[in-house]
Amino acid sequence: MNGFDGLWLKKLQRTLPPCETPAETAKAELSAFFADRGLGETFALAEDEALGEGYRVCWEGACCRVAGGHTGLLYGAYDVILGLLKGEGRQDLASAPQYPLRMLNAWDNMDGSVERGYSGRSLWFEGGRFDYDPERIRYLGRLLASAHINVLCLNNVNVHAPAQELVSGMLGDLKAFAALLRPFGVRLMVSIDFSLPLSAGLPTADPLDAGVREFWKALADRVWAEVPDLAGFLVKADSEHRPGPNAYGRTHAEGANMLAEAVVPHQGVVVWRAFVYDCMQDWRDAQTDRPCAAYKIYQPLDGDFRDNVILQVKNGPYDFQVREPVSPLLLSLKKTHLALEVQLAQEYTGQQIDLYAMPPMWREIFDVLPKENICSMAAVSNLGRGYFWTGHPFAALNLYAYGRLAWQPDTEPGRMIGDWVRLTYDLNVEDRESLCRLLAGSRNAYEKYTAPLGLCWMVVPHTHYGPCPGGYEFDLWGTYHRADRNAVGIDRTGEGTGYALQYPEKLHELYENLDTCPDEMLLFFHRLSYDWVMRDGRTLIQRIYDDHFEGYEAVRAMAETLRALPLPENDKAEAESRMQRQLRNAREWRDVINTFFHRLSGVSDARGRRIYP
Ligand code: GCU
């Protein structure tokens, strides 16, 4: 049992007594915490349903009064505790969430593996069944609740056998698992397989077929009878070979609405993923442009989805690349409930080996995306059974910060990072600031040594770690940069694939115009020759070289900073060994990408640094 090692709750070592409700958990946490502090502090909890998930905290001398709704009390209690742990003193607080559903999507398979998981095996599945340490799941509940995450989708969006039985033959197990997390205000969600009626013996899974509709209704009745607070179903349909309504000539709205009708009597939601594109593209076809796909499919369906359907859209139009513009779907659908999906598992961003703190990137998303455009958030989990729950001890920051983001997307990135550091490590001011800087700059460094100027997919195919600039060039995933000896990038303006036209006017103009397109997005929207002169006077090719050299140097500096930090022994050893791997990775990226472009362009580095022939 690895307790909270490496996590922001590590200072709460005490095991909680069994609790039935979030309010009881709030009471247990505060009692234990104040007893350990020994300062004679007391507390009073007052349930006020009008506050919902929000809460109010007010100190009267040494008595902490918390008012809140059902789960609001729990969030209030955790914020009191975390505030005191951060050394903020006895502060009055008032807070409420921006989004009612703050979801964590685990991509856990029932054989115990985790798709794109870099933190060890599943925390709750093994050998085709539920298999977990209940105490650890309670710790998980505390962790999630302390970050105000309130929905956990248990299984991979790619539903592999026997996971389709979670909603049929395994309801008893589902019920028991839900009961473990309920006292922490965490409700479960399950990924379902759209073709389930077929495996149940029906001749079709057509969403307009009466028998199919009845099947899902009856199934929903059975599921909610066992788990009455199940949040809903998550669906990946007609995406990367998953079954869906298109096979029957039906739209995504027809597919989603059929499920929505089945779950509506139970106040359930259907979260329908918009990650849909042609994954069998011919690379010769330069007209089809994968980032255009989702908008083309879903824009015409705006207004057709039932009220309890949420369309879950990845932050960018591709797939969690290092740098992507915000998906135009998130900006243009006005009559559809939308969830923003981000990925904590760093599939393309270092796989929890390389440091990559996400809050600065999320800030950029919300700089473009008005927070009112969406109604909820989801994040692909970075959790697993490893000693450090998030692989890299510092990757826990991303989980903690995600909860803060989904609660209040306005929260400053520096604040999230600073708070996590304070909670997790006892450091003096100087060391704390140095760790914060290390984390805050990590994304920038990663971007420099990997992806030049918004160019995506130069990564090793399938595993997605390390450089391979030609790896996806002739593949069928729609992932091309089309570098030749003169130029690189895709023209996505109105003259090109037209992707930029999917944005509202102002953004369209910003991206379309070479004078205003942000440097970091230049090659996402434009195809440019190597001698193109950037705004700062450097040529494009020189900028690519400079970034890669600088990115590697940045990692060397990060390694130095880390070496000097007085962290707990285990965390330090793990972080340092991962940093060595990051250094090797950064060197590899620098040299492979620079050599790749040097070979193509024949242009040498203006500063005479070594580029391998
Ligand atoms: C990526 C990832 C897959 C995942 C998919 C998804 O393509 O590599 O493993 O299944 O995203 O989000 O559905």
Side-chain angles (χ1 to χ4, degrees), residues 272-512:
W272 190 270
R273 294 178 85 236
F275 181 59
V276 182
Y277 66 97
D278 177 6
C279 64
M280 298 290 282
Q281 191 177 329
D282 185 342
W283 61 270
R284 296 167 191 84
D285 166 12
Q287 296 313 309
T288 307
D289 185 21
R290 172 166 158 185
C292 294
Y295 180 95
K296 284 189 179 160
I297 296 167
Y298 292 102
Q299 176 63 36
L301 299 178
D302 194 16
D304 290 355
F305 291 98
R306 285 184 69 124
D307 219 36
N308 61 331
V309 175
I310 297 174
L311 193 66
Q312 184 165 302
V313 185
K314 290 190 183 185
N315 62 278
Y318 256 143
D319 187 9
F320 304 132
Q321 300 295 291
V322 183
R323 173 74 65 173
E324 293 186 50
V326 169
S327 165
L329 268 185
L330 293 166
L331 302 167
S332 62
L333 296 196
K334 300 292 178 213
K335 292 176 280 183
T336 304
H337 298 304
L338 296 169
L340 165 65
E341 178 179 324
V342 296
Q343 194 194 44
L344 308 180
Q346 301 162 226
E347 177 180 356
Y348 296 96
T349 52
Q351 307 198 348
Q352 295 153 234
I353 299 165
D354 299 31
L355 276 183
Y356 192 95
M358 298 186 169
M361 166 181 166
W362 298 333
R363 164 52 9 108
E364 290 163 8
I365 295 174
F366 280 102
D367 279 347
V368 172
L369 172 65
K371 63 181 181 193
E372 301 77 20
N373 277 29
I374 59 172
C375 73
S376 39
M377 282 205 65
V380 180
S381 169
N382 59 357
L383 285 167
R385 220 177 256 231
Y387 179 81
F388 291 97
W389 294 52
T390 53
H392 196 305
F394 299 171
L397 159 69
N398 289 330
L399 179 62
Y400 166 80
Y402 163 66
R404 296 280 300 267
L405 182 82
W407 182 266
Q408 265 320 327
D410 301 333
T411 314
E412 279 305 315
R415 179 126 189 250
M416 299 180 188
I417 294 172
D419 284 352
W420 177 81
V421 169
R422 267 169 194 268
L423 289 168
T424 311
Y425 299 117
D426 285 321
L427 297 171
N428 65 31
V429 179
E430 205 183 315
D431 290 330
R432 196 160 65 219
E433 284 174 0
S434 139
L435 177 54
C436 287
R437 272 196 305 277
L438 175 72
L439 292 165
S442 58
R443 189 270 182 123
N444 200 10
Y446 187 87
E447 179 172 27
K448 278 193 166 183
Y449 63 77
T450 56
L453 308 164
L455 211 57
C456 305
W457 301 108
M458 291 195 146
V459 71
V460 173
H462 314 303
T463 63
H464 300 165
Y465 188 80
C468 186
Y472 274 117
E473 238 357 59
F474 302 102
D475 223 324
L476 29 75
W477 300 94
T479 44
Y480 321 113
H481 52 71
R482 303 190 192 275
D484 65 18
R485 66 185 194 155
N486 300 314
V488 59
I490 309 285
D491 180 359
R492 297 197 160 106
T493 67
E495 313 265 278
T497 71
Y499 168 73
L501 294 166
Q502 296 183 347
Y503 285 92
E505 191 54 29
K506 261 199 178 148
L507 276 177
H508 163 226
E509 278 170 15
L510 181 88
Y511 295 140
E512 175 101 14

Side-chain angles (χ1 to χ4, degrees), residues 96-289:
Q98 174 71 31
Y99 304 124
L101 294 178
R102 302 174 297 280
M103 305 178 273
L104 193 66
N105 293 178
W107 285 0
D108 292 25
N109 298 313
M110 292 205 70
D111 65 2
S113 63
V114 178
E115 179 148 341
R116 311 301 178 188
Y118 313 103
S119 308
R121 295 179 70 77
S122 169
L123 279 162
W124 47 81
F125 293 140
E126 193 56 63
R129 55 188 182 85
F130 278 91
D131 179 358
Y132 53 83
D133 170 354
E135 207 42 50
R136 196 184 339 214
I137 300 305
R138 273 190 215 109
Y139 271 121
L140 174 67
R142 292 170 82 185
L143 258 193
L144 298 184
S146 73
H148 304 186
I149 292 168
N150 64 359
V151 175
L152 173 64
C153 185
L154 278 184
N155 61 314
N156 191 357
V157 287
N158 299 311
V159 183
H160 301 303
Q164 65 274 26
E165 285 170 38
L166 281 170
V167 285
S168 51
M170 296 188 207
L171 281 177
D173 298 325
L174 197 65
K175 180 180 176 169
F177 198 81
L180 276 178
L181 289 174
R182 191 167 293 125
F184 303 96
V186 177
R187 297 193 294 151
L188 297 187
M189 186 173 270
V190 181
S191 297
I192 54 139
D193 183 330
F194 197 81
S195 67
L196 192 62
L198 298 180
S199 16
L202 267 66
T204 176
D206 181 349
L208 297 195
D209 179 86
V212 170
R213 299 179 95 96
E214 274 317 306
F215 168 86
W216 282 108
K217 274 189 195 157
L219 179 131
D221 291 348
R222 282 198 306 275
V223 173
W224 266 270
E226 296 301 324
V227 189
D229 58 354
L230 190 82
F233 292 150
L234 176 61
V235 195
K236 173 174 177 177
D238 290 320
S239 162
E240 300 185 325
H241 309 296
R242 305 315 297 172
N246 287 175
Y248 307 96
R250 311 300 183 197
T251 68
H252 283 240
E254 287 168 324
N257 289 346
M258 178 272 296
L259 293 171
E261 190 183 67
V263 306
V264 78
H266 313 287
Q267 282 81 50
V269 293
V270 169
V271 180
W272 190 270
R273 294 178 85 236
F275 181 59
V276 182
Y277 66 97
D278 177 6
C279 64
M280 298 290 282
Q281 191 177 329
D282 185 342
W283 61 270
R284 296 167 191 84
D285 166 12
Q287 296 313 309
T288 307
D289 185 21

Side-chain angles (χ1 to χ4, degrees), residues 541-608:
I541 189 76
Q542 190 56 41
R543 171 67 190 268
I544 291 175
Y545 295 154
D546 286 350
D547 275 11
H548 285 81
F549 285 118
E550 286 166 17
Y552 175 71
E553 289 311 318
V555 181
R556 276 174 40 137
M558 284 160 72
E560 288 301 308
T561 306
L562 180 64
R563 195 164 307 141
L565 285 174
L567 298 171
E569 207 181 309
N570 280 341
D571 298 46
K572 175 109 179 191
E574 190 64 37
E576 290 221 271
S577 103
R578 284 174 191 250
M579 182 58 87
Q580 288 314 308
R581 293 165 72 188
Q582 175 168 6
L583 254 179
R584 286 199 293 277
N585 191 36
R587 178 169 177 267
E588 203 58 13
W589 272 99
R590 178 197 68 187
D591 292 339
V592 170
I593 301 297
N594 281 348
T595 294
F596 173 78
F597 282 111
H598 181 246
R599 284 184 186 165
L600 279 177
S601 69
V603 180
S604 302
D605 173 40
R607 292 174 54 195

